[in-house]
Amino acid sequence: MPLEGAAFSYRHSMVSMTEMSTQYEVGMINQDFVSESTQLDHIQMFGHGVFETMRVFEWDIPLLYYHMRRVNEHSKKIYIQTDSRDLRERIHNFLSSIRQTHSGSGILRLSVMSSGTLGGYRIDKTSEPTYTISYRTLPAEFLNMPSNGIKMRVCDYRLPSNPVLSGMKHLNRLDQILARAEWDDQFDDGIMLDQNELVVETTFGNIFFLSSSGWVTPLINQCGIEGVMRSLLIKKIMPALSESVAIRKVKLYEIKNCSEWFVCNAVRGIMPVSSLFPDLSWTIGEKTKKLRRELSNLYPCYI
C-alpha cells in the first residue's frame, strides 16, 4: 500500500578536531537525542539553506532544469557549494527508490543546507552541504482547483526589504507564515506588499496582470521570490505567443483595475483569480486561457 510520504537525508561532512571543539556535543531533534554534533547544522539553528519545490509528473520533473539552475545560483550566494550533476543523480536515485510504493504524480522537495559551523555564526565555507529530499503524492486540493478561479485578499503583513536575499528561495519563510496566518479557509491566497505599499507576490506564488499595454509582473529586487514558473512564463511561454511582459514596480490599484490576472508557481502552474476581498471580481480572461493552453501543451501536468 502506498505510503503518504517519503524522505531521505544525505550528508557528506568532514570535520576536524579543531572544528569539533566549537560545536555542540549533544542535542535533540523532535524527541530524539543526537550525540553527533554535525547533526546540529546551521539549518536547525539559523535556516542556512535553500530549497526547491518541484512538480513530479509520471516520474519526471518537467521543470528540473530551471530548478537546478536556481538552486545552484542561490546556494552560492550564501556560501554553499553545489553540483548540478550530483543533485540530479540524487533526485533520480530517490525517485527510482520509491516507484513501487508511490504514485508518479506528486511534489518533491529538495533542501540544500550548510553542514559546517566553526562556532556561533561563523561558517565553514569548504564543508560539503547536507541534502534532504522528500516526496508526497499530489494532494486532492491541487487537482480540484476551482475552475472559475481563486479567491484572494490583501495581506496585512508587509514584506521587509533585503536586496541581498531578494529573489532567493531560502529556508526562512517566516514572512509567508505570518501572512498566511491572517485567514483560515475563506481565501485561497493573499497579495503581499512591501514597506512602500508596492505589490511583490502572493504567499505562494508570483503575480501577472494584464494592463492596457500588455502583461505586467512585479519587480523582485528588494524582497520576494523569483519563481521558476515566473521565469518560464517570461522567457519561454509569453515570447512563444508574442505576448509582451513588463517587469516593474506595481501599485495595488493597478491590479484592482486590471482586466484579468493570475498567480503562478511551479507546482500548480497558472491559477486565474476570480475575486479580491471585499468586493472585486473577474472572469477568467481569454489571454490567461491562451497562456494556460500553451503551458499545458508544453508541459501536460499543468492542465
Side-chain angles (χ1 to χ4, degrees), residues 227-280:
V228 161
M229 183 56 66
R230 176 182 183 270
S231 296
L232 180 71
L233 289 170
I234 292 171
K235 297 175 181 178
K236 187 172 183 178
I237 304 298
M238 289 182 169
L241 297 174
S242 299
E243 293 284 352
S244 65
V245 57
I247 305 170
R248 60 170 175 79
K249 295 179 180 180
V250 173
K251 288 286 191 179
L252 184 58
Y253 76 84
E254 296 183 83
I255 291 179
K256 290 182 175 180
N257 294 329
C258 76
S259 58
E260 55 186 280
W261 63 296
F262 62 83
V263 177
C264 66
N265 65 33
V267 172
R268 302 192 187 197
I270 294 173
M271 295 161 280
V273 175
S274 61
S275 66
L276 179 63
F277 182 80
D279 56 7
L280 295 176

Side-chain angles (χ1 to χ4, degrees), residues 51-55 61-74 167-169 201 204-206 208 220 225-237 264-269 295 299 302:
F51 72 101
E52 295 290 327
T53 310
M54 313 178 205
R55 181 71 174 265
I61 301 175
L63 303 184
L64 183 61
Y65 167 79
Y66 295 92
H67 287 290
M68 290 297 96
R69 185 173 65 179
R70 183 172 69 170
V71 77
N72 279 294
E73 177 185 341
H74 291 174
M168 189 181 301
K169 196 168 184 179
E201 60 188 1
F204 64 57
N206 293 115
F208 287 80
I220 307 289
I225 298 173
E226 290 184 355
V228 161
M229 183 56 66
R230 176 182 183 270
S231 296
L232 180 71
L233 289 170
I234 292 171
K235 297 175 181 178
K236 187 172 183 178
I237 304 298
C264 66
N265 65 33
V267 172
R268 302 192 187 197
L295 178 64
Y299 305 99
Y302 301 113

